[in-house]
Amino acid sequence: MHFSFKLPLPRGYSLADAIHFHGRDKEAVSEVVSETGLRKGILLDGLPAVFDIQVSKTEAVCTVAVDGTVTDGMQTPAVEIVRGLLGLRLDPRGFSTFVAADPVFGPLTKKQKSLRIVQSASVFEALTWAVMGQQINVSFAVTLRRTFIQLAGQRHSSGLWCYPSAADAARLPVEELLSRQYSRSKAETVLRLATLVASGELDIVESPTNTVESICAALLAVKGIGPWTVNYALLRGYGQPDCSLHGDVAVRSAIGKLWGLETRPDILAAEELLKRYSPHRTMAAAHLWASLSAPKGF
């Protein structure tokens, strides 16, 4: 069964960032990108679904094919998922205005004026992807992600895999990951996170009674999760506008290059520099990532 909906696009919208982010896995086990859109396997209310998103100059048309019964409650979360996948949750104009007179970011935002923050389909996906990417390059992290999806995910009837739910991931034996290039610490952190979320001990759903600040504090208490992972999850999962990615190597490399420093700044120096761009540090990080020729960003 399936359902469809449309989303209006802001003037000048570019699909380039979404194509880059969702097209990292060249084997395309979970996502397939094209010049005009993308198809992605996603669990919707626990059912395998494929989101087929086609983009024109003025709107995005999404058709969701569900392996199961479509319910009235599916449309609202589906719309929010697509807004995140296309980078529509954060309006970049606020940052552009904020840094208009800045000698570094002013010219950079004009050069990269279509840049948007693209997000994962879920907070759990963003969190686990961040854990997988700790201390390794993007290419290897993509390999680990593909393995995780194929070991614990569900496959849609179309053939695309859906990213695992926390419950499905929690049932995965650690040995399965260890035998597929995961370090023990990385495997244990991913499964620890999945188990805590699946059991309800760790609530990662933002609500009036469970603020992002509370979620961050709870995440930092989990062994294997540090400030970089939390800030990345805030960016890719929650779409928070003021995430400081001062611990990211690429961000610090870009700072060194753009500010004409002899060496890449350390974490504390990068943190201090980025403070001046609060409350827009998420967009600052995105522009710093994009300023590097390769990789474009994690």
Side-chain angles (χ1 to χ4, degrees):
M1 301 182 67
H2 68 274
F3 63 94
S4 301
F5 57 88
K6 297 178 180 181
L7 289 176
L9 296 175
R11 184 177 180 183
Y13 175 83
S14 170
L15 189 61
D17 293 303
I19 290 173
H20 169 77
F21 183 73
H22 301 299
R24 293 162 300 175
D25 187 354
K26 302 309 177 185
E27 293 191 19
V29 299
S30 182
E31 304 95 354
V32 179
V33 299
S34 70
E35 292 183 356
T36 58
L38 67 104
R39 297 174 66 244
K40 179 174 172 65
I42 298 170
L43 291 178
L44 191 60
D45 283 357
L47 297 174
V50 165
F51 284 54
D52 188 339
I53 308 166
Q54 294 300 311
V55 174
S56 68
K57 288 185 177 181
T58 58
E59 66 181 9
V61 179
C62 180
T63 300
V64 183
V66 183
D67 281 353
T69 303
V70 172
T71 65
D72 293 339
M74 288 181 173
Q75 177 132 344
T76 297
V79 169
E80 283 305 302
I81 288 170
V82 172
R83 290 183 67 237
L85 296 179
L86 296 181
L88 298 174
R89 286 182 179 163
L90 283 179
D91 187 343
R93 292 176 296 181
F95 179 67
S96 298
T97 300
F98 186 78
V99 298
D102 186 271
V104 173
F105 279 112
L108 200 58
T109 55
K110 291 178 181 177
K111 180 181 178 182
Q112 301 171 167
K113 59 184 177 182
S114 64
L115 185 67
R116 287 184 170 270
I117 296 291
V118 179
Q119 294 176 274
S120 300
S122 71
V123 173
F124 180 70
E125 182 176 344
L127 272 169
T128 47
W129 166 241
V131 172
M132 292 172 204
Q134 293 172 350
Q135 305 300 316
I136 61 175
N137 61 45
V138 176
S139 177
F140 187 35
V142 167
T143 299
L144 297 184
R145 177 181 183 269
R146 183 191 312 131
T147 295
F148 183 62
I149 291 171
Q150 293 177 316
L151 286 175
Q154 297 183 45
R155 201 169 194 177
H156 186 264
S157 57
S158 68
L160 280 180
W161 286 85
C162 301
Y163 200 87
S165 66
D168 287 338
R171 290 191 285 268
L172 195 64
V174 68
E175 290 76 18
E176 291 277 11
L177 296 179
L178 294 178
S179 67
R180 290 168 171 84
Q181 297 184 285
Y182 274 75
S183 66
R184 179 166 290 277
S185 61
K186 199 179 293 289
E188 290 180 347
T189 300
V190 168
L191 298 183
R192 182 182 300 116
L193 179 62
T195 300
L196 290 170
V197 173
S199 69
E201 186 176 344
L202 176 62
D203 185 359
I204 58 174
V205 179
E206 185 182 3
S207 70
T209 57
N210 191 43
T211 63
V212 166
E213 290 75 17
S214 298
I215 295 171
C216 288
L219 285 170
L220 288 171
V222 177
K223 183 180 179 181
I225 295 181
W228 181 88
T229 303
V230 170
N231 271 290
Y232 188 86
L234 288 173
L235 184 154
R236 295 292 191 199
Y238 293 100
Q240 291 294 302
D242 198 31
C243 306
S244 182
L245 273 293
H246 52 274
D248 188 87
V249 173
V251 165
R252 290 189 286 121
S253 294
I255 289 173
K257 177 182 177 182
L258 292 170
W259 269 264
L261 306 178
E262 292 186 2
T263 60
R264 183 172 63 203
D266 61 23
I267 291 176
L268 290 177
E271 182 180 20
E272 191 62 31
L273 184 147
L274 289 173
K275 282 181 180 178
R276 70 184 69 165
Y277 300 105
S278 181
H280 300 284
R281 285 177 291 180
T282 296
M283 286 304 304
H287 279 284
L288 290 171
W289 274 331
S291 72
L292 301 174
S293 56
K296 190 176 177 183
F298 191 77

